[in-house]
Amino acid sequence: MATKIVKLMSMSRNEFIHSFKKFAPDYRGSMTATSFKLEADKGSVTIEIEVLPDRAITSLFILPQSNITLTMDGLSEDEQQHFLERFDISFQRGGG
């Protein structure tokens, strides 16, 4: 059974792709304009990017937003947890 997680991330599609290349520089899988599919020995992870309207905090402070959907299929709970930890660390952004 697949596990699906949706994350609201403050980054554009291009920023996501830049970080993704650092996260999985030699990934096996396929890529489209809005998704990546990572193949693992025992399963796969599909990452879908849905670009949302920018969020204006003030007229000078505007943040891009994207919904990132992770669908993990065929991975054990430990493998899912390990993947999510790596994903979160790789996509962590500086802040206060």
Side-chain angles (χ1 to χ4, degrees):
M1 184 166 134
T3 300
K4 186 177 279 196
I5 297 172
V6 179
K7 294 178 171 276
L8 175 62
M9 300 179 79
S10 182
M11 60 177 40
S12 68
R13 180 184 176 281
N14 288 340
E15 290 170 321
F16 182 87
I17 290 171
H18 178 75
S19 294
F20 178 81
K21 289 178 180 177
K22 291 181 180 180
F23 168 69
D26 54 344
Y27 80 96
R28 295 176 298 159
S30 58
M31 181 172 120
T32 70
T34 59
S35 69
F36 298 88
K37 184 167 185 176
L38 304 170
E39 301 290 342
D41 293 335
K42 300 176 186 175
S44 65
V45 178
T46 302
I47 302 171
E48 297 172 274
I49 306 166
E50 176 191 7
V51 177
L52 302 172
D54 291 344
R55 181 172 182 210
I57 306 300
T58 68
S59 61
L60 298 175
F61 191 60
I62 299 171
L63 296 172
Q65 293 189 113
S66 296
N67 269 338
I68 307 300
T69 303
L70 306 167
T71 304
M72 297 174 278
D73 193 21
L75 302 178
S76 70
E77 285 187 32
D78 287 342
E79 291 168 324
Q80 290 179 35
Q81 185 65 31
H82 178 72
F83 177 86
L84 288 172
E85 288 171 1
R86 276 192 57 235
F87 182 89
D88 288 342
I89 289 170
S90 296
F91 286 88
Q92 195 170 37
R93 311 270 303 249

